[in-house]
């Protein structure tokens, strides 16, 4: 079976790419289940109930989040009501929502999705993501044909380490957060598909989704500059993971990238 993962959706531009292209991708590639990282979907920061519903309407089955998961306060009660929107499992304390879900795919196969966040360079004091992964797998034992992990983090080393740590225990470990796709997709020896970062879905001519001039101004002055999602051409970045239905192991991973003129 084939699982589709869409990299960080940024603003209206990213949501429009989903609306215009996602259903076609799902049909063309016979996708069983689609996961989209939506943590930048609302104006570049966070997710709102309306933007979540828009992403679901475009064809996503599960939405994962990351460090901006709680930026929009209106999303907090929504998370408790909607089990297919996942915040980082290893967020400390007792935050709203959940960090994992088991969802039936289009043919009825149960697929587990786990959302984790890295600690290297993170602003927040997060719980150990490796221990959280172990806890999640213990909870999911016997419940899913395939397990997909979204590991949201800055450090390439930490994301690659998580993939090796979970090799043979999950179907895929897919990195998010940097908004820049890496070219290291592979299936590890134990049958886990991995990529350091899937990339982003949003403005192509941008700095991680935002207007370059404003980002440059912030970096040069070291002052706070309000960033804005960039206009212009758009792109969609994602990966397709082929999983053996009998073993839950990945047999292939393929990067995808679409562009349109905006």
């Amino acid at each position: 079976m084939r699982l589709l993962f869409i990299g960080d959706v940024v603003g209206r531009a990213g949501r429009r790419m989903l609306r215009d292209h996602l259903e076609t991708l799902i049909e063309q590639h016979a996708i069983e289940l689609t996961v989209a990282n939506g943590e930048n979907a609302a104006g570049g920061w966070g997710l709102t109930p309306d933007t979540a519903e828009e992403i679901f309407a475009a064809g996503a089955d599960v939405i994962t989040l990351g460090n901006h998961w709680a930026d929009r306060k209106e999303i907090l009660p929504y998370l408790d009501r909607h089990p297919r929107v996942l915040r980082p499992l290893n967020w400390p304390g007792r935050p709203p929502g959940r960090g994992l879900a088991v969802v039936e795919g289009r043919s009825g196969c149960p697929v587990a999705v786990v959302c984790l966040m890295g600690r290297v360079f993170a602003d927040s004091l997060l719980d150990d993501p490796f221990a959280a992964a172990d806890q999640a797998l213990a909870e999911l034992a016997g419940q899913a044909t395939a397990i997909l992990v979204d590991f949201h983090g800055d450090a390439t080393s930490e994301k690659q380490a998580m993939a090796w740590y979970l090799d043979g225990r999950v179907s895929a470990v897919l990195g998010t957060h940097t908004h820049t796709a890496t070219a290291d997709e592979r299936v590890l020896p134990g049958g886990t598909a991995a990529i350091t970062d899937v990339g982003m879905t949003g403005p192509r001519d941008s700095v991680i989704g935002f207007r370059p001039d404003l980002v440059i101004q912030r970096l040069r002055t070291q002052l706070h500059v309000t960033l804005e999602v960039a206009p212009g051409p758009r792109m969609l970045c994602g990966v397709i993971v082929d999983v053996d239905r009998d073993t839950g192991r990945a047999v292939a991973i393929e990067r995808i990238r679409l562009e349109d003129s905006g």
Side-chain angles (χ1 to χ4, degrees), residues 20 25 33-34 46 55 67 71 78 88 93 121-122 129 142 150 152 165 177 181 194 216 238 244:
D20 292 349
L25 276 173
L33 189 91
T34 300
I55 293 171
N67 56 302
D71 282 6
Y78 183 90
F121 306 130
D150 175 354
H152 196 81
Y165 183 68
H177 181 63
I216 292 167
D244 186 301

Side-chain angles (χ1 to χ4, degrees), residues 8-53:
D8 303 44
V9 178
V10 179
R12 181 180 292 111
R15 301 195 313 269
R16 183 171 174 184
M17 283 298 287
L18 296 186
R19 185 189 70 197
D20 292 349
H21 299 286
L22 186 52
E23 285 291 354
T24 300
L25 276 173
I26 291 169
E27 295 302 321
Q28 284 181 343
H29 296 279
I31 300 298
E32 178 75 15
L33 189 91
T34 300
V35 181
N37 184 292
E39 76 136 15
N40 300 106
W45 288 273
L47 184 73
T48 64
D50 286 346
T51 52
E53 293 298 330

Side-chain angles (χ1 to χ4, degrees), residues 7 9 14 16 33 42 54 60 63 67 93 97 137 172 187 198 223 245 257 259 262:
V9 178
R16 183 171 174 184
L33 189 91
E54 190 175 342
I63 299 173
N67 56 302
L137 295 186
V187 177
V198 176
L223 299 173
R245 290 176 183 266
R257 177 182 169 117
E259 295 188 12

Side-chain angles (χ1 to χ4, degrees), residues 117-242:
M117 186 171 162
R119 295 193 292 187
V120 178
F121 306 130
D123 294 331
S124 305
L125 296 175
L126 298 163
D127 293 339
D128 178 6
F130 295 87
D134 289 336
Q135 175 188 347
L137 295 186
E139 183 176 339
L140 292 169
Q143 294 189 48
T145 302
I147 302 174
L148 182 152
V149 176
D150 175 354
F151 192 38
H152 196 81
D154 276 299
T156 56
S157 57
E158 189 179 24
K159 290 193 275 190
Q160 290 174 4
M162 180 62 78
W164 282 101
Y165 183 68
L166 294 178
D167 183 30
R169 298 198 283 161
V170 304
S171 308
V173 177
L174 309 176
T176 58
H177 181 63
T178 71
H179 294 200
T180 302
T182 55
D184 61 338
E185 72 278 8
R186 62 179 292 194
V187 177
L188 298 180
T192 294
I195 186 170
T196 302
D197 205 284
V198 176
M200 77 167 190
T201 296
R204 185 195 68 188
D205 298 340
S206 67
V207 175
I208 63 170
F210 298 99
R211 282 175 44 188
D213 59 320
L214 298 178
V215 177
I216 292 167
Q217 183 182 352
R218 177 185 280 194
L219 293 172
R220 294 198 65 190
T221 64
Q222 297 291 291
L223 299 173
H224 176 75
V225 176
T226 300
L227 302 182
E228 299 175 8
V229 176
R234 302 181 297 270
M235 66 179 182
L236 181 152
C237 292
V239 294
I240 296 172
V241 179
D242 286 279

Side-chain angles (χ1 to χ4, degrees), residues 46 98 101 161 232:
R98 56 197 55 77

